[in-house]
Amino acid sequence: MGELNNILHKDNQLFKQTTITEEDRKIFKELETFLSAFNDYQKKAIISNTQKICCIAGAGSGKTTVLTKRIEFLAKYRGIPPEKILAITFTRKAKQEMQNRLLKSGISVSIETFNSFCEKILLKFPYLIYGKPVKLMNYSNKSVILGLVLQSLNLKITEVIDLYFSEYQRKNKTQEELIALLVSDCFFIVDYFKTTNKEVFDFSQNAPTEDKKVTQMIYLICKNLQNYMKLYGFRSYNDQLLDTSEFFKKNANHIPRFDHILVDEYQDVNLSQIELLKMLNSYNLFVVGDPRQSIFGWRGSDMNEIINFTEKNPHAEIIILSKNYRSCNSIVEFMNEALKHAEYPDLESIIPLKNEIYLHNFRSENEEIKFILEKIQELDPTKHKMFILARTNKQLNSFPTLFKQANIPYLVKKEDDAYHDKPGEVVLSTIHAIKGLESDVVFIIGCNEQHFPCKYSDHPILDILNIYSYDKIEEERRLFYVAISRARQHLYLTYTGKKPTYFINDSMKKFLTISKQEKLEEELFEPNIIEQEEIIEQEEKPKYKEDWEDMIGDD
């Protein structure tokens, strides 16, 4: 990839790839048996003695393996006591995976999610922190508290739902589903104000005139929710971090001390998590992540923490892992073009195959689904692992019934679910929920401008308040990147309507094998065009809200 790939340039911030020194190579040779499975930059990430390290690890570059191997190196070859090593990741799945790998090597260190680490502190010092028992809220607790708040405000749940959700948002949803969305949104607002160290103020004052009534109602609900949580002794998942950091500020002697802290998925950290890391103040900090896969801005994640790592840590070492061990060459090249404008270093596939990437256009969603089912049966899910990915949960609703009719085993994957490969089982998932996983064959449905970028949300108050200032379009583009980067061998992009998403830019089109409706796409695409039988030209009809979906589904 040449010298150009030794830098990562983003927003005028220059990240220089580390140098492999002669001393490094001596260590590589001394530890040849231990490091034989890794490339030079992976080896550097495993053995580097630099105090602050930021590892930019591209999709399929062996991020988790490298992080786990570094922990093994610290314990076995640097003699760091296991109790002085803390690894932090974001999901229970990743935590369990790392623990299992290390236990096979006879190593037991603290591996936590941010929340599980904080929960242990809160359970250890409950009276010192709260002065009384305080419980972590589950969904049932939240529903009960919301009911008490509505009762105190003389509001009926049906009235609130009718005012809060539009007719379209209520369409095809049960009362229970709408209540769940309302509960989620209200407690999200409460957590947001806590995170920003603000009291819940009357945000309806800043709302557009047409939204005054609904925002005034949500403001009163949220203000009372916070009061009722205190009254009944409940705390949220977000309180875990905030309360732990506050406790550490007042009780520095109770802060656990670690010689090494390693943080996975650093592109997803939020301000509360960064504050906690500051409190822990480890002399050695190793963070690993990929800004190209930052897709949780709506949840408060700030990708600038990884992009600007050297600004806060001037002597930090940057190690870029750019070899992709997952996908064939054509898919990796397709991925590189997807975010070329952001000037990230290209990934390099070690799999030389140039498999075709297909873009299929259909006149209806029924035809789109029919094609996917036929293709799955043709490729045979007992021989190839397969994902069907969508921007929203609602797009996947038709598949379970059809899979049952066709006797195709399937699994609906939700975010942070425990996940185990089962031969012959097709996985249905939103893109948010599938991050970190991979498959031989990937179908991405709805690749049009209604879903990429997603134009509609089932969370009205979040849209009205416009809480976060991150670039939503660029995050949607990164989400599309995450989707295509799951594929090892075969990638199928399907859509309805006249035009595919503009996230498929001009430089990406040369990698596509395209089916078209007569001459519908002729002006848009030129290379590798193939005819698809029984697809006829149709007049493009605007669908607007009828086809817009929720932004995040269950994510």
Side-chain angles (χ1 to χ4, degrees), residues 91 186 198 274 294 368 462 467 495 523 531:
T91 66
C186 290
K198 299 175 184 175
I274 290 296
S294 176
E368 185 178 15
L462 306 189
I467 286 174
Y495 72 103
E523 295 181 1
E531 296 293 341

Side-chain angles (χ1 to χ4, degrees), residues 31 35 212 223 236 286 294 354 373 495 514:
L31 300 176
L35 297 174
K212 288 282 186 185
K223 183 177 180 180
S236 67
F286 179 94
S294 176
K354 283 190 172 290
L373 289 174
Y495 72 103
I514 299 162

